[in-house]
Amino acid sequence: MELTTVWFALIAVLWIGYFALEGFDFGVGMLLPVLARDDRERRVMINTIGPVWDGNEVWLLVAGGATFAAFPEWYATLFSGFYLPLLLILLALIVRGVAFEYRHQRPEATWHGWWDRAIIIGSLVPAVLWGVAFANIVRGVPIDADLEYTGGLLTLLNPVGLLGGLTTLLLFLTHGAVFLALKTDGEIRHRARALALRLGSGTAVVAVAFLLWAQLHTGTGASAVVFALAACGLLAALVALAAGREGWAFTGTFVAIALAVAGLFLGLFPDVMPSSTDAAFSLTTTNAAATPYTLGIMTWVAVLVTPFVIGYQAWSYWIFRQRISVHHIPV
């Protein structure tokens, strides 16, 4: 297998990890005003993701760095063409991270309220814009013969892009609600489970519509199978949740998001950024790749470092696996 294909697959895995892991803490952030009745309950919700949210963002940093090193042409066209949406995502993530660190620094309700709003908005903006961005990558964007993006912001806000944004928004909300049902106890747990069940049917309809479009637009036989399994994973999650099996339900939403992203990459390959202007101008794993020497060095680094990163994050989830409730929060 060529190293360009290997690195395309590795970048796909990094995005799969990012969406499946960061997705639930985006969902938790967006659900703060929906599920919490008072400050102690909001603190419970924030504490469920407190030990892991920053580790989840590492997947995004590594995905960006890997794209820059392995496919510099892809990185250049993507980050220049999608500059404003990606800037908004970056600002939202910065504000959100600051909010997690500063919220508890003062006791005033007004202080908490402002930082809670920052968490909500900082979770909502990326949840929508990542879907818009990926839908446009799969759909294809105007790229000229110099491999430069020639569209504008409104080019990205097309019906397909907006459908992608709605899909990730609903998936992350459902994923977050299921995570809260798994990680909390008491009233929050019951509210989260009920909300996830209510959200689930609408999420399934929207997600299936988007995946069906993706399959018809760029799909292959392999992506069709993966998309079907993703839909089954989401339905299985709702069945498990109705039966009170939150652990299996979270596994189902995790698998559904992971397989949906995997299917998008399977349908995209060997393109990394299709051109809607002319297929000959599309960025591929061949014309967007770095030199074989660079890819070879990166491969050895990935082989040596990746097991430690995954092992540490798995250890973190294991250590903080217990449920929490308002009884654990001092008045």
Side-chain angles (χ1 to χ4, degrees), residues 185-196:
D185 210 350
E187 289 299 318
I188 300 178
R189 176 186 180 185
H190 299 307
R191 290 187 212 123
R193 185 165 60 191
L195 178 62

Side-chain angles (χ1 to χ4, degrees), residues 81-82 84-85 132-133 135-137 139-143 149-162 273-277:
F82 289 43
L84 185 55
V132 173
N136 277 284
I137 290 173
R139 173 180 175 269
V141 293
I143 299 174
Y149 176 77
T150 58
L153 176 62
L154 294 180
T155 306
L156 304 177
L157 299 180
N158 54 73
V160 171
L162 296 176
M273 203 165 177
S275 171
S276 60
T277 304

Side-chain angles (χ1 to χ4, degrees), residues 252-267:
T253 55
F254 185 100
V255 168
I257 292 173
L259 290 178
V261 178
L264 294 179
F265 275 92
L266 282 171

Side-chain angles (χ1 to χ4, degrees), residues 8-276:
F8 179 85
L10 288 175
I11 289 172
V13 168
L14 291 170
W15 281 108
I16 289 168
Y18 177 66
F19 279 115
L21 293 172
E22 185 91 300
F24 71 75
D25 63 52
F26 283 151
V28 172
M30 290 186 288
L31 291 173
L32 275 180
V34 179
L35 294 178
R37 300 292 184 264
D38 55 34
D39 187 65
R40 290 180 75 193
E41 291 190 347
R42 285 189 287 274
R43 288 163 65 189
V44 168
M45 292 177 64
I46 293 170
N47 284 354
T48 62
I49 59 175
V52 298
W53 69 267
D54 49 355
N56 293 341
E57 289 189 354
V58 170
W59 292 81
L60 172 62
L61 298 175
V62 178
T67 303
F68 172 78
F71 299 101
E73 288 286 354
W74 182 15
Y75 182 93
T77 303
L78 177 65
F79 278 76
S80 60
F82 289 43
Y83 178 80
L84 185 55
L86 293 176
L87 176 62
L88 291 174
I89 290 172
L90 177 60
L91 291 175
L93 293 177
I94 291 172
V95 170
R96 179 171 171 267
V98 171
F100 284 134
E101 299 297 334
Y102 274 73
R103 185 189 189 277
H104 66 280
Q105 298 296 330
R106 292 175 61 176
E108 294 90 345
T110 304
W111 176 267
H112 291 171
W114 280 108
W115 290 120
D116 287 344
R117 294 184 189 95
I119 293 172
I120 296 163
I121 296 171
S123 301
L124 173 64
V125 170
V128 174
L129 291 184
W130 280 130
V132 173
F134 267 81
N136 277 284
I137 290 173
V138 174
R139 173 180 175 269
V141 293
I143 299 174
D144 62 17
D146 295 323
L147 305 183
E148 294 181 359
Y149 176 77
T150 58
L153 176 62
L154 294 180
T155 306
L156 304 177
L157 299 180
N158 54 73
V160 171
L162 296 176
L163 176 62
L166 180 61
T167 300
T168 50
L169 173 66
L170 292 176
L171 279 172
F172 293 167
L173 283 170
T174 304
H175 198 31
V178 172
F179 178 76
L180 286 169
L182 173 65
K183 283 290 293 177
T184 63
D185 210 350
E187 289 299 318
I188 300 178
R189 176 186 180 185
H190 299 307
R191 290 187 212 123
R193 185 165 60 191
L195 178 62
L197 287 170
R198 291 198 299 272
L199 283 171
S201 56
T203 300
V205 171
V206 173
V208 168
F210 176 70
L211 296 182
L212 181 61
W213 167 84
Q215 177 61 29
L216 293 174
H217 186 67
T218 62
T220 63
S223 66
V225 172
V226 172
F227 284 151
L229 291 175
C232 291
L234 184 56
L235 294 176
L238 298 179
V239 172
L241 195 63
R245 304 294 296 274
E246 289 102 343
W248 284 110
F250 181 73
T251 302
T253 55
F254 185 100
V255 168
I257 292 173
L259 290 178
V261 178
L264 294 179
F265 275 92
L266 282 171
L268 192 61
F269 183 81
D271 289 340
V272 295
M273 203 165 177
S275 171
S276 60

